[in-house]
Amino acid sequence: MPDTAENDDQGPTYPTVVRQARNNMRKFVNCVVLTRVGSFYELYFEQAVEYGPLLNLKVAQKKSKAGLPSVPMAGFPFFQLDRFLKILVQDLNKYVAISEEFVNDPSSKVKSGGLMFDRRVTRIVTPGTLIDEKFMKPDENNFLLAVQPLRYLDDSQNAGDQVEKLEGSATASALDSVCVGLAWLDLSTGDFFTQSTKLGLLASSLARIGAKEVIVSDGLEQPIRQAISDMLEHDRRLLTNHAA
């Protein structure tokens, strides 16, 4: 899953909306953060500079408090969210965190120092979890695939023993012999499949399954991770690290 980190903004005291957006960018560091502000979704700071032109959005400068530099920003009307989600997630292979706007009740308003609104991430969208019908092709699945080395390669040798041997000299033939388990799911239909194969045959399985996103464990051994990453890079498939 996209990395998160609890870390309030310790830098300049930006306006409330900008500060809330910056805090969410720091919590969801691998995501493009879309922040709801009234009738718009907005991007700020470096994300506005990087993705504004790719989305054909004008990058403006939001005035900050006296003595602070202006903040780059770009935005679009809320009713165009689906259009820009498609570009970011399907076309650019990005994670997107959607931060919605919530009215603070009297108690929350007091606790927050008088803030009218709270903005917090309610949804993270990735290529493998974008399942809205409007984005789906009727003749094509949207698979999310997990890859994990199997515990037992055969009746006498386990994957952990073999991987330890790979750490010293990860030859192509040794890597190819590692047995891996595959599990893939289409969240929109509920279709679920499993299969075991060898790492040397994984590329053909990936091409056949056509997963939009592939998940591996953070603890996966580096030689195996690199081999999988190399396979996916050619087809521009997204590799997601999942905390074990």
Side-chain angles (χ1 to χ4, degrees):
M1 290 296 294
D3 291 340
T4 65
E6 296 293 336
N7 184 16
D8 287 340
D9 188 78
Q10 299 298 321
T13 305
Y14 291 109
T16 300
V17 173
V18 176
R19 189 170 66 251
Q20 290 172 332
R22 172 57 93 187
N23 287 342
N24 281 329
M25 289 172 64
R26 291 182 172 179
K27 292 175 184 176
F28 301 89
V29 295
N30 290 339
C31 296
V32 179
V33 178
L34 301 179
T35 302
R36 180 71 178 266
V37 184
S39 298
F40 289 82
Y41 283 100
E42 298 181 351
L43 300 97
Y44 295 97
F45 297 100
E46 64 274 14
Q47 292 190 348
V49 174
E50 180 177 359
Y51 297 108
L54 296 176
L55 299 173
N56 200 27
L57 298 174
K58 179 181 178 180
V59 179
Q61 297 294 321
K62 186 178 182 69
K63 292 183 179 180
S64 192
K65 294 184 177 181
L68 294 178
S70 58
V71 176
M73 63 165 292
F76 56 86
F78 75 95
F79 55 81
Q80 292 185 333
L81 176 62
D82 289 344
R83 170 191 171 193
F84 290 103
L85 270 182
K86 182 181 184 303
I87 297 173
L88 287 167
V89 178
Q90 286 191 332
D91 300 342
L92 299 179
N93 258 359
K94 300 298 179 182
Y95 306 112
V96 175
I98 302 174
S99 175
E100 296 292 355
E101 187 175 67
F102 298 89
V103 177
N104 279 330
D105 59 32
S107 174
S108 299
K109 188 175 180 180
V110 171
K111 291 179 181 178
S112 64
L115 296 181
M116 292 290 295
F117 298 99
D118 181 27
R119 291 176 178 87
R120 55 183 182 270
V121 171
T122 60
R123 182 185 179 193
I124 296 177
V125 185
T126 72
T129 61
L130 186 63
I131 60 174
D132 305 66
E133 287 187 4
K134 61 181 74 69
F135 300 124
M136 306 297 295
K137 296 180 180 179
D139 59 343
E140 184 177 315
N141 284 105
N142 195 67
F143 284 126
L144 180 66
L145 169 71
V147 180
Q148 176 68 28
L150 295 180
R151 182 175 180 183
Y152 294 105
L153 294 169
D154 52 42
D155 291 338
S156 60
Q157 185 180 33
N158 65 48
D161 292 339
Q162 179 137 345
V163 169
E164 287 181 4
K165 296 177 182 178
L166 294 178
E167 296 292 346
S169 57
T171 64
S173 59
L175 279 173
D176 287 348
S177 67
V178 173
C179 196
V180 295
L182 311 178
W184 62 101
L185 168 70
D186 186 332
L187 292 171
S188 65
T189 64
D191 292 338
F192 178 70
F193 306 93
T194 60
Q195 174 192 338
S196 61
T197 186
K198 296 293 180 69
L199 196 60
L201 302 175
L202 181 58
S204 60
S205 296
L206 293 174
R208 173 177 56 83
I209 296 169
K212 297 297 190 298
E213 182 178 355
V214 177
I215 300 175
V216 297
S217 169
D218 270 344
L220 189 65
E221 291 75 10
Q222 181 56 32
I224 299 177
R225 178 190 301 279
Q226 188 59 52
I228 296 174
S229 178
D230 291 343
M231 295 176 198
L232 295 173
E233 186 175 1
H234 178 72
D235 294 327
R236 294 185 67 250
R237 304 292 183 184
L238 186 65
L239 181 64
T240 297
N241 295 315
H242 174 68

